[in-house]
């Protein structure tokens, strides 16, 4: 009985840890609309939440919402898990008919309107002349002429065949081992996983070509895919992103690019920084 009392007294006596310059302030947290959150329920009571990017890939996100409304993914699977590369989900036969209102081959949305970075990384990287973050927390890059969303760990892209406009959005993938920046401007980014990434990155790898499971038994089943706005109020997850248009996020970038000793500063690229997302308190 004495130990819990002593622990409580010590906790009260301990001075509060002063905030770091890069810690977010309460006002930095902004709500993500419920109709921009895709909730994927996997077998084994596992869930993955994806923040969609309708501002940057409107045609493909519109298709994704139509597929959700048609319950197209229900009963499908995660059928490809390639070591240090991607996990991919959808119809493994690639023959399932699309809903009538889904555009089968929308134009590629590899690039976005402009390089609207609220914060920039200090140096260029091997894939761009500049990179940074939009005010609402999306990692972006530019070559000085065009701009694009980057394929970081957890980003969600549209799988396709050889032609750029062959991906409807019915087959999606996410990098699971590290960032996949060589896919930048070659595949459309439609979102980012904001919760449950481990439920994809920890799946068994396939040794078959391209990481496609050789048998149906190896696949992870998809129970359902819904927008958060479709779920009953009591079951609906609410998320917030960390806004970047402030001095605190600028300090966060600096802390990663030039960390304190004894860590040796070696720089950082845009995919090295964690994007702040949390469940709404």
């Amino acid at each position: 009985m004495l130990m819990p009392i002593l622990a409580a007294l010590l906790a009260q006596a301990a001075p509060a840890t002063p905030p770091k310059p890069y810690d977010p302030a309460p006002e930095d947290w902004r709500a993500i609309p419920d109709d921009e959150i895709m909730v994927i329920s996997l077998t084994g009571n596992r869930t993955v939440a994806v923040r969609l990017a309708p501002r940057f890939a409107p045609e493909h996100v519109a298709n994704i919402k139509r597929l959700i409304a048609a319950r197209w993914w229900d009963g499908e699977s995660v059928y490809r898990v390639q070591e240090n590369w991607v996990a991919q989900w959808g119809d493994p036969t690639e023959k399932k008919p699309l809903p009538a209102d889904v555009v089968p081959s929308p134009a590629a949305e590899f690039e976005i309107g402009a390089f609207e970075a609220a914060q920039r990384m200090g140096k260029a990287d091997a894939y761009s002349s500049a990179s940074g973050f939009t005010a609402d927390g999306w990692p972006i890059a530019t070559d000085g002429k065009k701009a694009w969303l980057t394929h970081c760990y957890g980003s969600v892209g549209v799988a396709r065949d050889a032609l750029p406009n062959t991906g409807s959005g019915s087959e999606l993938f996410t990098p699971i081992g590290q960032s996949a920046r060589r896919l930048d401007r070659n595949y459309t980014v439609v979102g980012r996983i904001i919760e449950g990434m481990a439920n994809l990155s920890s799946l068994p790898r396939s040794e078959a070509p391209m990481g496609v499971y050789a048998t149906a038994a190896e696949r992870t089943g998809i129970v359902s895919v819904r927008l958060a706005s479709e779920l009953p109020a009591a079951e609906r997850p609410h998320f917030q992103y960390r806004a970047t248009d402030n001095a605190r996020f600028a300090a966060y970038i600096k802390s990663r690019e030039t960390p304190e000793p004894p860590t040796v500063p070696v720089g950082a690229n845009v995919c090295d920084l964690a994007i702040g997302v949390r469940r709404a308190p």
Side-chain angles (χ1 to χ4, degrees):
M1 186 65 183
L2 290 176
M3 292 301 295
I5 295 175
L6 179 60
L9 290 173
L10 289 173
Q12 292 177 359
T17 303
K20 300 288 187 181
Y22 48 78
D23 288 340
E27 63 268 23
D28 295 343
W29 294 104
R30 317 280 174 81
I32 300 174
D34 290 348
D35 64 354
E36 294 182 7
I37 298 169
M38 181 169 68
V39 180
I40 305 171
S41 297
L42 303 174
T43 54
N45 198 31
R46 294 168 289 183
T47 303
V48 176
V50 178
R51 180 188 182 188
L52 297 173
R55 185 158 68 92
F56 301 111
E59 297 287 341
H60 286 84
V61 171
N63 263 2
I64 287 170
K65 289 187 174 183
R66 294 179 189 119
L67 290 159
I68 293 172
R71 308 310 189 223
W72 191 87
W73 278 295
D74 294 12
E76 294 302 334
S77 65
V78 182
Y79 62 85
R80 176 190 181 194
V81 183
Q82 187 171 2
E83 172 60 22
N84 204 32
W85 193 230
V86 299
Q88 186 167 319
W89 61 95
D91 167 34
T93 71
E94 298 185 354
K95 295 179 181 179
K96 183 176 180 178
L98 296 173
D101 58 351
V102 168
V103 180
S105 298
E109 295 179 295
F110 302 159
E111 296 163 349
I112 61 179
F115 183 63
E116 298 175 349
Q119 301 291 346
R120 294 189 178 211
M121 301 300 293
K123 297 180 180 178
D125 57 44
Y127 300 94
S128 60
S129 60
S131 61
F133 297 88
T134 64
D136 54 349
W138 292 98
I140 59 174
T142 182
D143 61 359
K145 299 176 182 178
K146 303 289 186 179
W148 57 89
L149 292 179
T150 54
H151 282 79
C152 297
Y153 176 81
S155 64
V156 176
V158 176
R160 62 173 176 81
D161 295 326
L163 296 176
N165 64 341
T166 52
S168 67
S170 60
E171 309 296 320
L172 300 173
F173 69 87
T174 184
I176 59 171
Q178 56 184 342
S179 61
R181 293 290 303 281
R182 69 182 181 86
L183 301 182
D184 287 4
R185 301 177 72 190
N186 285 289
Y187 289 79
T188 297
V189 176
V190 292
R192 187 178 182 89
I193 294 173
I194 56 176
E195 187 176 88
M197 182 63 189
N199 292 327
L200 293 174
S201 64
S202 63
L203 292 176
R205 277 48 170 167
S206 171
E207 298 299 325
M210 302 294 291
V212 177
Y213 289 126
T215 65
E218 298 174 87
R219 302 169 190 156
T220 297
I222 296 174
V223 178
S224 66
V225 179
R226 301 288 184 270
L227 293 175
S229 56
E230 295 181 286
L231 299 176
E235 302 174 14
R236 188 177 302 174
H238 301 286
F239 290 93
Q240 297 173 326
Y241 68 85
R242 179 182 178 180
T244 72
D245 54 351
N246 54 75
R248 292 169 294 280
F249 198 87
Y252 171 56
I253 293 176
K254 184 177 180 180
S255 73
R256 295 302 304 272
E257 293 182 324
T258 55
E260 296 179 357
T263 302
V264 177
V266 294
N269 72 52
V270 70
C271 287
D272 292 334
L273 275 69
I275 304 300
V277 175
R278 69 179 188 181
R279 288 256 183 166

